[in-house]
Amino acid sequence: SSGINAEYGGADGGLDFGSLKVFDEAKQTCTLKNRGRYEIGFKFTFDSSDPVMREAMELFKVDPPSGQLFPNDKPSTVHVIFKSKKECNIKDLPILKCQVIEPHLGNQGGVI
């Protein structure tokens, strides 16, 4: 059985950057842990199908955007950085997706 635990810094299980001034940068962390028996990969992607989402995704950077998680390894930390050059209000938008890739099955996995 394979699986991944994803823990985000926000109180509701999401990312909360709070109120920021224009040009201020804020960083939130997400912790990923492989709880399965096989190596899995992860890849963060942005939902670019919606024009509002395309504009919002330019405000975020993910570091690292992808990687490998090994069984019984320590959790990996991913940083999500937000910086805007103009005033904006983003609330409760599912902008960022994490794709889980299971190389041993040869598939592209699912999205969490």
Side-chain angles (χ1 to χ4, degrees):
S1 159
S2 65
I4 188 170
N5 280 352
E7 294 180 16
Y8 300 93
D12 63 353
L15 297 172
D16 185 356
F17 291 94
S19 296
L20 301 168
K21 293 180 180 176
V22 175
F23 295 108
D24 277 1
E25 184 176 287
K27 184 189 295 186
Q28 291 282 317
T29 59
C30 168
T31 304
L32 301 176
K33 169 114 176 102
N34 181 349
R35 57 180 170 80
R37 293 186 298 179
Y38 302 101
E39 170 190 347
I40 57 175
F42 68 89
K43 180 178 181 184
F44 282 91
T45 59
F46 292 93
D47 183 354
S48 59
S49 58
D50 182 324
V52 173
M53 297 289 196
R54 275 197 301 274
E55 188 173 316
M57 69 188 223
E58 294 175 8
L59 307 173
F60 296 90
K61 178 183 173 194
V62 182
D63 183 35
S66 62
Q68 302 296 111
L69 299 171
F70 298 93
N72 304 315
D73 211 356
K74 65 181 186 189
S76 293
T77 300
V78 175
H79 298 284
V80 182
I81 301 154
F82 174 86
K83 185 175 184 179
S84 179
K85 297 176 182 169
K86 63 181 182 177
E87 191 173 314
C88 63
N89 185 8
I90 301 171
K91 188 172 180 147
D92 298 329
L93 287 179
I95 297 169
L96 185 61
K97 296 179 180 180
C98 181
Q99 180 180 20
V100 177
I101 303 155
E102 301 186 47
H104 73 283
L105 296 178
N107 70 17
Q108 290 300 304
V111 175
I112 60 171

